[in-house]
Amino acid sequence: MMPEIGQLALILALLMALVQGTIPLIGAHRGTTTWMATAHTAVAGQFLFLAIAYLALTYAFITHDFSVAYVANHSNSALPLMYRISGVWGGHEGSLVLWALMLAGWSLAVSLFSKGLPAVMAARTVAVMGLVSVGILSFTLFTSNPFEPIFPVPADGRDLNPLLQDPGLVIHPPMLYMGYVGLAVPFAIAVAALIGGRLDAAWARWTRPWATTAWAFLGAGIALGSWWAYYTLGWGGWWFWDPVENASLMPWLAATALIHSLAVTEKRGAFRSWTVLMAILAFSLSLLGTFLVRSGVLVSVHAFATDPTRGVYILMLLLAVTGISFALYAWRAPTVRSHAEFDPVSREGALLANNVILMVALAAVLLGTLYPLLLDALGMGKISVGPPYFNAVFAPLMVPLIFLVGLGPLLRWKHVSPLEVTRRLWHTLLAALVAGVVFPLAMQGSITLMVVLGTATGFWILFTIARDLYGRATHRGGNPLTALRKTPAGYYGMTVSHLGFAILVIGITLLMAFEQEQDVRLGYGQSHTLAGYTYELRETYGVRGPNYEAVEARVVVTRDGEFVTELFPQRRVYRVQTQPMAQAAYQTRFTRDIFVALGEPLPGDTWSLRLYHNPFQLWLWIGATLIVLGGLVAAADRRYRVFARRTSDSPADDTGRASADDLPEPAGRSSVS
């Protein structure tokens, strides 16, 4: 009866979403408190029923219930338990259930932690999220039912896609979805504020922790996907400008612009229209990413759950959400326009330039992703837009962006003297240029102009962070440790994220400049040298897995005659889908990765192998981790909780225009003056 229970739970969740999306919205319009209060009950009910549905589907996977078509298509009796659990989101229908569950979870979190929001604002926010849930659950029930039965019941399932049978994929999709779906919260708050007709510093402060948390989760999902592609596909690379990779990068770029724009709206009351636009755009792009991945219009190694016929529904949902929200924005934008004045050389000016560059980069990625699809749809032929285009367009935009990342936190609000900025920072810039020459020479023994430029920009961020911390610690001559202790978590979150970005930039620069790869043909006892490391194929032997057969090679790696490590790459064939899979092997050290992928057997007891030497690969994962960690630290800033408690006891209009200015400024200021 578990599939039937899950089916009933999905239906009840849809009914709860309908209540959540309508009754509180009407109550907010009429000022009826009891109607607005139904939002909390409806959210809790929807989450409960979706959790039941999700657990019922998981139970069907764990117990091999092949009477459910979705289970029969994405599982097998020999599939390990870990992949039976992750198989729930390994296909189209189950991934939508996970999407809906996470949206209900975010809605429940907003309901529980929105006590600082005025009742009208909270009701509208939760109602908007309920309407999005209605769209997703309707799509799931009417076109993508995960509990659809199959008859006759097969004796065994078709197995999970072998590419998904990896620990990285167990955590990558849920983390990515958390970011995708989390962007619905700032979107809903923005739409609710537009309905009320006013946006102010209080609205920005309510939105910031939600936007930053969703941004961090999305960044974590992108990083995990990059890490998975690096070691699972056997290509030895970390980013391929694949259309599905772009589908997650675009909302992340918009969310990056959003969290920076929110800072200006909160502190200076500027960028209000821009901030609302970014909130709408970020969530719209997350829906676009869902459409691109689920519709089948893209051909990608990452697109596992596609259905062209059902993609039309997602497109309709995307058009409805974006169309209504942008129409509302066009209607209300003139009334919420900010009038704060600032000079181009100021923190506001730097953040504005930062956001403009991010939007240009986003437009470049969007064009490169959608243009081939548009030409194909118009019958004008098929073209492929690959890394040469994206590298040529995207990379140059990052140089001024990186410069602004280092410069922005050092500038004061409203106005800064350009001559004073130059006087204070020229030696920091000079030190970064010197480091850009010395560091790659010391690490790799050679440089190019692009290496110097990329490395120098990374060190520019590092040095400006150090300068800013020193300025805060020594501000007004007090105790440095006391000054740093009084600095809010939001500042440290920003600093850690910028630190991670600097490490990421340096790592990418050196990796792309000095990475080496080579396809070789080796017999037993033969060796090949790449980047100073000698790889010797010692033997191959059979390995039997739970649902696959594999050939494993033992490769001994030495350097200057000294043993470094043994690597054991595999070539697997899964029994049900008979799809060959290369399971690469690699060793990571602080300044390099050595990487081996086993290819096809060749005549004469020889094998093809692909060897990689990837310098500073680990710096990419360290940098991405720090970026995400910084976002979570910033979102946890206690000032948001203090603000919520104060505003919950303060009179406010329907958008919460209460006491945004009663919060303390960060202790210490090292801005250029």
Side-chain angles (χ1 to χ4, degrees):
M1 292 294 292
M2 289 303 291
E4 288 76 11
I5 292 173
Q7 180 76 52
L8 177 61
L10 273 182
I11 295 171
L12 293 174
L14 175 59
L15 295 176
M16 285 292 180
L18 283 168
V19 173
Q20 176 189 334
T22 54
I23 303 300
L25 202 59
I26 298 171
H29 178 70
R30 294 182 174 181
T32 308
T33 305
T34 53
W35 285 33
M36 289 188 288
T38 61
H40 306 292
T41 305
V43 166
Q46 185 198 166
F47 180 79
L48 174 63
F49 289 126
L50 274 170
I52 292 172
Y54 182 82
L55 291 175
L57 188 59
T58 304
Y59 181 80
F61 268 86
I62 292 174
T63 59
H64 308 298
D65 187 352
F66 299 126
S67 67
V68 179
Y70 181 66
V71 178
N73 289 329
H74 297 88
S75 187
N76 183 268
S77 58
L79 192 66
L81 177 62
M82 176 172 63
Y83 301 129
R84 275 180 275 156
I85 295 174
S86 63
V88 174
W89 58 79
H92 177 83
E93 293 86 350
S95 65
L96 287 176
V97 176
L98 179 64
W99 214 99
L101 177 63
M102 288 185 170
L103 181 57
W106 279 101
S107 300
L108 182 63
V110 172
S111 176
L112 293 174
F113 299 106
S114 64
K115 294 181 176 58
L117 281 170
V120 173
M121 181 73 169
R124 286 174 176 160
T125 300
V126 174
V128 171
M129 298 184 73
L131 292 174
V132 177
S133 292
V134 169
I136 295 297
L137 286 171
S138 299
F139 178 37
T140 304
L141 276 169
F142 300 132
T143 71
S144 310
N145 187 358
F147 296 104
E148 181 180 346
I150 185 173
F151 188 82
V153 178
D156 211 338
R158 297 174 58 188
D159 204 6
L160 184 65
N161 187 319
L163 280 173
L164 293 174
Q165 297 182 39
D166 183 88
L169 261 293
V170 173
I171 55 176
H172 162 58
M175 197 68 67
L176 193 68
Y177 282 13
M178 278 291 287
Y180 266 158
V181 180
L183 291 175
V185 181
F187 165 80
I189 297 176
V191 171
L194 284 173
I195 294 173
R198 296 182 66 182
L199 297 97
D200 55 14
W203 163 79
R205 191 170 287 265
W206 285 317
T207 308
R208 279 187 77 179
W210 298 105
T212 306
T213 303
W215 172 83
F217 275 118
L218 183 56
I222 292 171
L224 286 169
S226 176
W227 172 63
W228 162 75
Y230 171 67
Y231 77 85
T232 299
L233 296 180
W235 297 343
W238 56 278
W239 194 265
F240 305 97
W241 290 111
D242 182 271
V244 174
E245 290 177 330
N246 297 346
S248 59
L249 177 64
M250 289 186 291
W252 187 83
L253 291 172
T256 304
L258 171 63
I259 61 177
H260 288 88
S261 186
L262 280 167
V264 182
T265 302
E266 176 195 340
K267 290 294 183 184
R268 294 278 297 125
F271 296 6
R272 284 182 293 181
S273 295
W274 177 277
T275 304
V276 175
L277 182 62
M278 289 301 99
I280 295 172
L281 182 63
F283 183 61
S284 298
L285 287 170
S286 76
L287 290 178
L288 176 64
T290 303
F291 165 71
L292 292 175
V293 175
R294 300 297 168 194
S295 64
V297 301
L298 293 180
V299 178
S300 166
V301 295
H302 299 276
F304 304 109
T306 62
D307 191 324
T309 58
R310 291 178 292 193
V312 175
Y313 187 100
I314 307 178
L315 183 60
M316 293 173 60
L317 177 63
L318 170 64
L319 293 175
V321 170
T322 56
I324 294 173
S325 55
F326 280 122
L328 182 61
Y329 171 78
W331 176 43
R332 289 294 198 184
T335 65
V336 300
R337 185 175 299 157
S338 57
H339 300 285
E341 296 182 356
F342 58 89
D343 290 343
V345 183
S346 63
R347 187 174 296 190
E348 296 98 322
L351 289 172
L352 177 60
N354 169 86
N355 283 1
V356 169
I357 294 172
L358 284 171
M359 287 302 98
V360 173
L362 169 59
V365 176
L366 184 65
L367 177 65
T369 304
L370 297 185
Y371 185 65
L373 303 179
L374 180 62
L375 287 185
D376 190 21
L378 295 175
M380 300 175 66
K382 294 181 180 291
I383 66 168
S384 176
V385 177
Y389 162 80
F390 291 106
N391 291 335
V393 176
F394 193 84
L397 292 171
M398 293 299 101
V399 175
L401 179 68
I402 296 167
F403 178 76
L404 290 170
V405 168
L407 179 64
L410 296 176
L411 300 179
R412 295 188 63 184
W413 297 105
K414 198 172 181 179
H415 171 73
V416 182
S417 168
L419 291 178
E420 186 66 16
V421 172
T422 304
R423 188 180 69 83
R424 293 285 186 97
L425 296 180
W426 72 266
H427 52 281
T428 306
L429 181 60
L430 179 61
L433 290 172
V434 172
V437 174
V438 173
F439 187 77
L441 273 177
M443 293 292 103
Q444 296 298 135
S446 64
I447 58 172
T448 64
L449 179 60
M450 295 306 296
V451 168
V452 172
L453 186 60
T455 308
T457 52
F459 276 102
W460 160 255
I461 299 177
L462 293 178
F463 293 158
T464 53
I465 288 173
R467 179 186 178 86
D468 197 25
L469 284 170
Y470 177 79
R472 285 175 176 267
T474 58
H475 183 65
R476 294 176 182 170
N479 187 312
L481 293 179
T482 301
L484 292 176
R485 272 199 307 269
K486 290 182 178 180
T487 301
Y491 168 79
Y492 286 118
M494 175 199 71
T495 301
V496 171
S497 287
H498 286 183
L499 174 64
F501 187 55
I503 293 173
L504 185 69
V505 168
I506 296 172
I508 290 174
T509 299
L510 297 180
L511 172 62
M512 294 186 68
F514 299 110
E515 64 184 344
Q516 297 182 52
E517 68 173 270
Q518 199 163 4
D519 290 320
V520 298
R521 174 176 176 167
L522 295 180
Y524 302 121
Q526 294 181 339
S527 62
H528 185 83
T529 300
L530 178 69
Y533 291 88
T534 300
Y535 301 80
E536 181 184 349
L537 177 62
R538 289 288 178 88
E539 59 179 325
T540 59
Y541 43 84
V543 174
R544 186 180 180 87
N547 61 339
Y548 64 84
E549 308 288 341
V551 174
E552 184 173 273
R554 182 165 72 97
V555 180
V556 176
V557 184
T558 58
R559 183 178 177 88
D560 298 329
E562 296 185 4
F563 176 81
V564 175
T565 187
E566 284 186 331
L567 299 177
F568 300 91
Q570 291 183 354
R571 186 167 183 82
R572 298 177 178 177
V573 177
Y574 286 79
R575 298 188 191 114
V576 177
Q577 296 199 10
T578 64
Q579 179 177 341
M581 281 284 299
Q583 191 73 16
Y586 65 100
Q587 183 195 56
T588 296
R589 290 294 181 264
F590 189 65
T591 59
R592 59 93 180 130
D593 276 17
I594 52 176
F595 186 107
V596 178
L598 183 63
E600 297 279 354
L602 302 172
D605 283 337
T606 60
W607 288 81
S608 65
L609 291 92
R610 180 168 291 180
L611 311 178
Y612 296 89
H613 179 262
N614 297 329
F616 293 88
Q617 180 74 51
L618 183 62
W619 287 42
L620 274 63
W621 316 135
I622 293 174
T625 302
L626 290 176
I627 290 172
V628 172
L629 179 62
L632 296 176
V633 170
D637 194 322
R638 66 177 296 274
R639 293 179 300 165
Y640 298 125
R641 299 192 296 275
V642 172
F643 175 71
R645 289 196 297 270
R646 291 179 182 178
T647 53
S648 63
D649 299 327
S650 303
D653 61 19
D654 66 348
T655 60
R657 192 181 183 92
S659 49
D661 298 328
D662 62 355
L663 295 166
E665 286 291 322
R669 190 186 293 269
S670 64
S671 303
V672 174
S673 59

